[in-house]
Amino acid sequence: MSRPEPPSPASPTGSPAPAPIRVTCPHCGQPLDVIPVMAAQPPAGEPLPSQQASPVARLSRTVVRAVQRRLFPFSSTVEPAADTAPAAPPQRWGTITLIIAGIVLVGTLLMWWGHPITTPGATVPTPTVSSSNSTTTEAAILDTLTRYNRAESEAAARLSIEPLRPFIDPSGPFAQRRAAQLAERQQRNAPHRTVLVRWAVGQIAVAGTTATVVTQETWSNQEAGAVAPEQATVRVTYTLRWDATAGRWLIVDTSQIPL
């Protein structure tokens, strides 16, 4: 008993129908005519799946083209229209190489843009800092006042201006006034013991060879024959000048206000 032959499938347009192939059925042992079925071809102009680039490859090509247009703006005029031409199917290693090259190129550009361009052999100017001797000047002024305060105790005990002379201007009003005070005590034979208890330095203003210093001083004074010393606090304003011959600041005048 013969099996009816199956209808032959319609062949694609423009292609001849393939010839049937006779085979034996493995189940019933009857002869069968089998027509090979051909896979449908893609429409004309559509690239094969193997020819379609991966999204990573397309992104890498876009980055490289953007960088190329930024560095070489005129290259687009001579560059062939890559978007219109059919792209060759990229290989796996070619895609990886293209990605690595794009990353390296972008990193190099970022490093290059982050550093200023310097001419070979050019030197970078070093900022100059103006030197100031204000600290040294203030230290020299305070040294004169400190030595003068120590000498004041000796001058009061001896009733002599000699301990004060290295620290006062001999032609200034303070030297004349202090000499008159000590002479008056000599006439009365009234030595006294005076000691600086507390001393605070305020504003120091220097203008050329002239300086002004404001201090707050507490002195302990005990007259001869007194049972106990007395203390007094005053605010003193010193006027000094720089003496190049003596090599130090000298007290020209003072004024004080009791507190």
Side-chain angles (χ1 to χ4, degrees), residues 2-115:
S2 62
R3 177 176 296 182
E5 297 180 359
S8 61
S11 61
T13 305
S15 300
I21 302 175
R22 174 146 312 190
V23 297
T24 302
C25 178
H27 300 285
C28 61
Q30 298 294 328
L32 297 176
D33 293 333
V34 180
I35 299 177
V37 179
M38 300 181 63
Q41 298 296 326
E46 181 178 350
L48 297 176
S50 59
Q51 296 178 349
Q52 296 179 357
S54 63
V56 177
R58 290 198 300 271
L59 178 60
S60 301
R61 285 198 296 270
T62 303
V63 172
V64 173
R65 289 173 186 171
V67 174
Q68 181 180 2
R69 284 194 296 269
R70 182 178 179 88
L71 295 179
F72 308 99
F74 298 102
S75 63
S76 59
T77 58
V78 297
E79 184 183 29
D83 295 337
T84 59
Q91 299 297 327
R92 179 179 179 183
W93 290 107
T95 302
I96 297 177
T97 303
L98 185 61
I99 295 174
I100 295 176
I103 295 175
V104 173
L105 180 59
V106 172
T108 303
L109 292 177
L110 291 177
M111 294 177 60
W112 179 63
W113 286 335
H115 294 277

Side-chain angles (χ1 to χ4, degrees), residues 146 148-157 178 192-199 217-223 229-234:
T146 301
Y148 162 76
N149 289 332
R150 292 175 182 172
E152 186 63 50
S153 299
E154 182 181 355
R178 195 71 184 94
H192 60 119
R193 182 176 182 271
T194 179
V195 178
L196 180 62
V197 179
R198 287 186 297 272
W199 184 42
E217 304 172 2
T218 300
W219 288 85
S220 173
N221 183 63
Q222 184 174 3
E223 297 290 340
E230 297 180 353
Q231 288 189 358
T233 301
V234 293

Side-chain angles (χ1 to χ4, degrees), residues 1 13-14 47 123 133 149 166 207 228 231 259:
M1 179 178 182
T13 305
T123 58
N133 59 350
N149 289 332
Q231 288 189 358
L259 299 177

